[in-house]
Amino acid sequence: MDRDQVIEIYQQVLDGKRKRFPNGFFVGNEGKTYMNYITRYLLEQRLSIPIHEIPLKVGADTLWSHRLRPPAMLYGWNYYEVIDNAYPGEFQPWEFRQVPRKYWKGEEGKNRAIEAVKYVLEEELKIPFNEIPHRVNFHFFNQYGLGGVFSLFRQSPFQVIEAVYPGSFKPWQFANVPMNCWKNEASIQEAMDDFLFNQLHFLSYEEAFLNIKSQHFNDCQLTGLFQMAFDGQMINVKKWIKRQEMQKVN
């Protein structure tokens, strides 16, 4: 049966001229091809949805309300799998406003989450590795359909990236620093040492004490450190540096 014949039968089903599809219509690989034909017809011609807008405009209700649930159940497909059959490899599950049920659940869901984030960063956006902490924030997950991933990792950008690239970044490198990070002395020590010696290139605490300015925190996107650990006061920063200097001497 060619495409036009398949679509004609589907039109008759949709218009009520047929009560159901013919027996055996969706059997085997030929049946999956027929599903491809009618899904594309439904979305592109009957509903006039541009292909690039499908993830935003199509959910399970779109397909099921147009008589595609029974054949989908025959294959054990969810709504995304119906779309993937029609547009193989065109879309990723997380691009849709309605992610397939339980997609992010369990160990398998966690692995999918890691692969999804890695795909968006490396393949879709091609973000340079060193820019990841500055580019991955609360907005990133909503913008790229990864809200489920964000919830899975307790809404922490750092926890997500730590799962994707273990040990590659520190919590304080992110714009959205994990809660209580700046109440932890070890985190403050690590962040300040990196800030003073790796980013500002001071050669000693003594040099840092003489030359550090509040603007340096802004320039290195560490205003959270400045505000939360030092109450936004340079006098507190200098007291901290002086303590480190004294401890080194002793």
Side-chain angles (χ1 to χ4, degrees), residues 89-194:
E90 184 80 20
F91 307 109
Q92 300 294 339
W94 59 85
E95 294 181 81
F96 290 77
R97 57 185 172 83
Q98 179 185 4
V99 177
R101 188 169 174 264
K102 296 184 179 179
Y103 189 76
W104 304 122
K105 299 293 185 182
E107 194 62 28
E108 186 177 3
K110 185 175 181 180
N111 291 334
R112 284 179 180 147
I114 290 169
E115 289 304 312
V117 173
K118 195 169 185 177
Y119 175 86
V120 172
L121 292 174
E122 296 180 7
E123 302 297 329
E124 190 171 335
L125 301 179
K126 294 179 170 52
I127 295 176
F129 195 70
N130 65 318
E131 292 183 17
I132 287 174
H134 303 303
R135 300 276 294 274
V136 177
N137 51 31
F138 298 146
H139 178 66
F140 168 86
F141 294 95
N142 291 326
Q143 184 175 1
Y144 296 102
L146 296 170
V149 174
F150 199 37
S151 298
L152 183 64
F153 289 92
R154 295 176 292 181
Q155 298 188 322
S156 166
F158 168 71
Q159 291 296 338
V160 176
I161 298 303
E162 175 66 9
V164 179
Y165 306 107
S168 296
F169 301 103
K170 301 296 183 182
W172 40 266
Q173 291 179 290
F174 288 75
N176 305 119
V177 177
M179 190 178 297
N180 297 325
C181 180
W182 299 134
K183 297 183 184 297
N184 183 294
E185 284 297 328
S187 295
I188 295 171
Q189 176 82 55
E190 190 174 25
M192 282 295 290
D193 283 350
D194 181 81

Side-chain angles (χ1 to χ4, degrees), residues 195 213-224 226-227:
F195 172 52
K213 296 179 175 59
S214 60
Q215 185 60 38
H216 288 140
F217 288 92
N218 295 331
D219 293 343
C220 295
Q221 299 183 323
L222 285 171
T223 53
F226 185 48
Q227 295 295 332

